[in-house]
Amino acid sequence: MLKPKETFKVTPWIVEGEVNYEILVEKFGLRKIDREILNLFISAIKEIPPLIRRGIFFSHRDLDKVLREFLQGKKFYLYTGRGPSGPMHIGHIVPFLFTKYLQEKFKADLYIQITSDEKYMYHKEYKPEELERRTIDNILDILALGFDEKRTYVIDDLVDIKYIYPISISIARKVNFSVVRAVFGFNESTNIGMIFFPAIQAAPCFIGYFVSKENKNCLIPAAVDQDPYWRITRDIAFKLGFPKPAQIHGKFLPSLKGLGKMSSSIPESSIYLSDDEVDVRRKIWNAFTGGQPSIREQRIKGGNPDICRVYSYMYFLFEPDDKRLKEIYEECRGGRRICGDCKEELINKINYFLKKHKQKRESIKEKVKNYMLSEKVSLEDLERNVYRLLR
Ligand code: TRP
């Protein structure tokens, strides 16, 4: 296990330790969101997206270009995804909520790739019978967040492979093993499925151009660990005749237990979308906070919201009102608020959210078809048939 501040690791498959985003920006060669980007958002949609204002989406590649071109009348489409390795927790929904916001504000098409193939090939313990169950389960959780039915296309890799395969092989032909080895750290014992997989995850970066002529650019909102995929994709985009896909990167929701990010493999560190009220209460009461050992000390010295998980959940997801958030922060610092106050407030908010979520999840069940790429678009319908890419 890594110790705090010592070191951290971010790859598409492993995120460990307390991530220092400043260092990550340097290491990955990303651009931080700056004043220019904020101004472009204001020109385009008259506001700064709340998750950007809070610094949760913090860096990018070519976002300035996509926004500038949007202001000149060039539409972009969105692409994001999920590897169904297990049940979804509330950390997983942060990029999807942000994507939903962008879809609404920019009236953008959206492609959501479900990579059960990736999880099957990567996790040796993944059982074949889990593939379908987890895929459906995760799709329901994602769609329950409320995407625009007309503009959203879910790509289930195993079912929709015929849509993306021609794109994947045209990408694969241009990427050498030495490149994926360097970017992903693959080696002699990496299975050959994983070596090809980057070409599958890259394909939706281009599929939007085949579905609609309106799509002039691709923007990918995703957690920052996915960035390595887009480095490769950006390198070969021009060779295939497409613009480089742009990205906007998000931070990870911290673990409830104090070190690192919320993780599916440590159940008590996460709030699952399927948790009941009792689970939520127990987990939040056991969460790591910035509080003092006793109420008396807390009243005298005040707490530290900057390290507090309960506060960070309000910050990431559950307290949209900036003014209220600031009040909570200051009340905590000043000792006027004790941890129990915050915990109760957060428990109520999460339970309310989950109750609504479960209802929406039920009601979306019969509508799933309306979102699936293969139900909405036939191969022949594609404006520029994907096979033309191979010529
Ligand atoms: N590899 C991602 C995961 O493990 C899934 C994914 C596929 C994705 N395409 C994406 C994530 C595009 C973000 C953006 O979760």
Side-chain angles (χ1 to χ4, degrees):
M1 237 355 224
L2 301 163
K3 298 222 178 72
K5 293 216 173 85
E6 216 173 51
T7 180
F8 63 92
K9 188 171 176 178
V10 177
T11 77
W13 304 287
I14 296 167
V15 178
E16 255 179 12
E18 196 84 352
V19 179
N20 180 325
Y21 293 98
E22 293 290 323
I23 295 177
L24 202 64
V25 164
E26 285 288 305
K27 238 170 75 181
F28 280 13
L30 310 174
R31 283 177 57 201
K32 286 216 276 194
I33 302 275
D34 58 10
R35 194 65 237 177
E36 189 201 353
I37 296 273
L38 302 186
N39 289 338
L40 285 165
F41 271 114
I42 292 170
S43 307
I45 58 170
K46 315 231 164 9
E47 68 178 25
I48 297 170
L51 286 172
I52 292 187
R53 209 175 55 228
R54 296 242 170 128
I56 293 163
F57 277 77
F58 68 103
S59 73
H60 73 100
R61 293 182 192 270
D62 279 349
L63 177 60
D64 49 338
K65 177 173 171 281
V66 165
L67 292 175
R68 238 180 276 118
E69 294 187 1
F70 178 83
L71 288 167
Q72 293 158 7
K74 279 195 184 182
K75 290 195 75 169
F76 61 84
Y77 76 93
L78 298 159
Y79 162 39
T80 192
R82 156 91 189 144
S85 50
M88 286 177 73
H89 60 57
I90 56 173
H92 293 135
I93 67 176
V94 176
F96 286 104
L97 289 175
F98 183 58
T99 305
K100 176 187 159 179
Y101 169 92
L102 294 176
Q103 176 177 55
E104 276 168 17
K105 292 287 174 185
F106 289 92
K107 311 222 172 343
D109 283 351
L110 162 65
Y111 295 82
I112 303 175
Q113 185 182 37
I114 307 296
T115 58
S116 32
D117 48 350
E118 172 193 19
K119 298 302 158 186
Y120 177 69
M121 293 188 291
Y122 181 76
H123 294 286
K124 296 236 159 53
E125 71 284 9
Y126 202 119
K127 295 187 193 66
E129 58 271 21
E130 282 176 296
L131 277 172
E132 196 181 5
R133 183 170 54 81
R134 287 198 165 157
T135 299
I136 295 166
D137 176 70
N138 283 198
I139 289 176
L140 286 176
D141 276 327
I142 293 166
L143 293 181
L145 302 175
F147 294 96
D148 180 337
E149 196 176 302
K150 266 214 225 83
R151 295 185 219 269
T152 303
Y153 303 84
V154 175
I155 305 170
D156 174 355
D157 276 358
L158 285 174
V159 175
D160 300 326
I161 190 67
K162 59 181 182 296
Y163 289 84
I164 56 176
Y165 196 62
I167 308 177
S168 297
I169 60 173
S170 61
I171 294 166
R173 186 150 83 148
K174 300 223 177 322
V175 182
N176 292 338
F177 177 55
S178 60
V179 171
V180 287
R181 182 175 51 195
V183 170
F184 295 105
F186 292 157
N187 58 43
E188 300 288 307
S189 46
T190 305
N191 74 53
I192 58 173
M194 287 309 291
I195 294 168
F196 179 68
F197 180 75
I200 304 260
Q201 180 152 333
C205 295
F206 306 130
I207 196 159
Y209 303 113
F210 295 101
V211 178
S212 166
K213 272 197 204 116
E214 280 205 331
N215 293 327
K216 302 289 184 210
N217 278 312
C218 172
L219 173 64
I220 308 171
V224 66
D225 61 326
Q226 299 297 310
D227 181 72
Y229 284 109
W230 325 127
R231 274 179 241 159
I232 295 178
T233 320
R234 288 167 59 83
D235 278 352
I236 51 90
F238 279 142
K239 290 187 203 159
L240 296 177
F242 298 109
K244 293 183 181 191
Q247 282 92 61
I248 176 155
H249 306 111
K251 294 181 180 171
F252 307 104
L253 183 67
S255 156
L256 279 174
K257 299 307 267 182
L259 182 69
K261 74 162 180 99
M262 194 175 257
S263 161
S264 310
S265 47
I266 314 166
E268 289 297 303
S269 81
S270 322
I271 304 279
Y272 293 99
L273 296 174
S274 56
D275 276 352
D276 63 24
E277 295 190 358
V278 178
D279 297 325
V280 171
R281 176 161 289 277
R282 182 187 69 249
K283 289 179 187 182
I284 298 300
W285 272 100
N286 289 326
F288 178 80
T289 71
Q292 302 292 348
S294 70
I295 295 182
R296 203 175 148 265
E297 270 178 272
Q298 176 101 350
R299 295 276 182 223
I300 298 167
K301 297 186 196 154
N304 181 4
D306 291 326
I307 58 163
C308 178
R309 292 340 198 189
V310 174
Y311 179 77
S312 75
Y313 285 22
M314 302 224 199
Y315 189 91
F316 265 76
L317 284 165
F318 294 103
E319 184 46 77
D321 180 353
D322 285 353
K323 233 177 88 207
R324 174 79 189 123
L325 193 73
K326 190 157 174 258
E327 264 168 30
I328 293 173
Y329 187 94
E330 280 162 7
E331 286 173 13
C332 171
R333 282 268 177 222
R336 294 188 300 284
R337 190 170 248 277
I338 54 170
C339 295
D341 300 334
C342 272
K343 285 176 173 170
E344 282 301 334
E345 207 171 313
L346 182 64
I347 289 168
N348 287 336
K349 285 181 183 217
I350 296 182
N351 279 334
Y352 178 76
F353 170 81
L354 290 182
K355 192 169 136 216
K356 292 269 166 229
H357 179 78
K358 286 170 194 163
Q359 289 165 356
K360 288 191 220 147
R361 198 177 187 283
E362 273 312 304
S363 63
I364 204 85
K365 274 187 178 158
E366 64 226 47
K367 296 204 195 129
V368 171
K369 271 196 165 163
N370 306 350
Y371 293 88
M372 303 309 292
L373 178 71
S374 47
E375 300 280 342
K376 298 173 84 145
V377 186
S378 78
L379 270 181
E380 301 78 55
D381 277 351
L382 299 183
E383 297 213 15
R384 283 184 287 159
N385 191 303
V386 278
Y387 287 91
R388 277 181 48 191
L389 202 63
L390 303 180
R391 278 185 217 140

